[in-house]
Amino acid sequence: MFNNEKIDLRVKYTREWTFEAISKLLEHKKYDQINISEIINKAGISRATFYRNFSTKDDVIKFKVEDFFHQFFMDMKVYYEVNKPSNERDLIGAFFEKVDESNKLIDVVIVAKLEYLMVNGILQLITYFKDHFYQIEANNEKQEEYTMEIVASSAWTLLSRWHRSGKKESAKSLAQIYMEAFKLIASALYQERNVK
């Protein structure tokens, strides 16, 4: 997902127009009722151009999600190299803000029921950045994998709920809530208990 694929400007614009076409069509139709002919007509591209870039309409959204994560990853990679933060606050806060700025993409992902793409992207971010600050003390590799899956899934669950409910909290406040929630869960699960 974080590859450095060099994309011809025509291809980039075609992919953007195609995503915009789907977004516009979703204003009047359900995702599963939208067909390729409607997408290419709305985007102003030929069928051959569509299939040169995508296999399915899901691929259009997948491209946009991958681009979203690639841009965020590149920004954070530079940020971490320059600032060398010692905890995850900056990464989580910046990611929540990026989601906040990406309403159209998040709407389309949710409506198309392709939320697994967001979870996978978050998981890749965690996997890449974990050595910078995550001290996951797992007994084995499988436990670490499951732990990171839980973190990625819970992040997306919170973000999508926040998005659907109108984003009453700021992205910064939500990031704080997210981090505090993990502390509360750990405390509730592992605190000393007076068992008689």
Side-chain angles (χ1 to χ4, degrees):
M1 185 173 281
F2 304 136
N3 60 4
N4 285 322
E5 175 189 14
K6 299 288 184 207
I7 299 175
D8 179 284
L9 277 180
R10 288 175 300 168
V11 172
K12 182 175 174 44
Y13 289 129
T14 297
R15 290 177 178 179
E16 290 294 331
W17 294 332
T18 309
F19 176 80
E20 288 299 319
I22 290 175
S23 178
K24 289 286 185 199
L25 289 166
L26 282 171
E27 292 174 7
H28 308 287
K29 290 185 95 168
K30 292 184 176 184
Y31 181 73
D32 60 352
Q33 295 173 343
I34 296 172
N35 62 46
I36 302 299
S37 294
E38 292 171 308
I39 295 169
I40 63 176
N41 288 336
K42 192 72 157 172
I45 61 173
S46 70
R47 186 169 294 277
T49 299
F50 180 89
Y51 284 110
R52 206 173 17 256
N53 289 279
F54 311 105
S55 297
T56 67
K57 64 183 177 182
D58 287 358
D59 287 346
V60 177
I61 299 167
K62 183 178 180 188
F63 156 76
K64 191 67 174 171
V65 169
E66 287 177 352
D67 186 55
F68 167 88
F69 277 102
H70 174 75
Q71 294 302 319
F72 180 74
F73 170 76
M74 296 307 291
D75 292 345
M76 292 311 293
K77 188 174 175 191
V78 169
Y79 178 84
Y80 272 85
E81 287 170 2
V82 171
N83 296 296
K84 302 192 185 336
S86 60
N87 63 51
E88 66 278 7
R89 288 183 189 278
D90 293 344
L91 179 66
I92 293 169
F95 184 71
F96 280 38
E97 286 176 14
K98 180 81 171 170
V99 168
D100 187 26
E101 297 165 1
S102 305
N103 288 324
K104 188 184 297 183
L105 174 62
I106 304 307
D107 285 342
V108 172
V109 165
I110 290 170
V111 169
K113 297 183 174 104
L114 295 173
E115 295 178 274
Y116 77 92
L117 295 171
M118 295 301 289
V119 174
N120 289 345
I122 294 168
L123 184 58
Q124 287 186 28
L125 282 172
I126 293 167
T127 301
Y128 180 83
F129 286 106
K130 73 176 181 155
D131 293 335
H132 290 278
F133 44 73
Y134 285 116
Q135 302 300 317
I136 298 174
E137 296 189 21
N139 294 331
N140 58 55
E141 191 174 309
K142 242 338 151 192
Q143 186 177 0
E144 182 175 290
E145 287 175 19
Y146 285 129
T147 301
M148 292 191 312
E149 286 272 356
I150 290 167
V151 171
S153 297
S154 65
W156 176 249
T157 299
L158 181 65
L159 285 164
S160 63
R161 180 175 182 264
W162 174 63
H163 183 81
R164 285 180 175 118
S165 65
K167 300 194 281 187
K168 293 175 180 69
E169 302 82 11
S170 69
K172 187 176 181 178
S173 296
L174 191 69
Q176 188 64 38
I177 289 167
Y178 178 72
M179 290 184 289
E180 291 297 321
F182 271 99
K183 287 180 190 172
L184 290 171
I185 291 166
S187 176
L189 291 174
Y190 302 110
Q191 70 182 352
E192 291 290 324
R193 295 193 175 124
N194 294 328
V195 180
K196 293 185 181 183

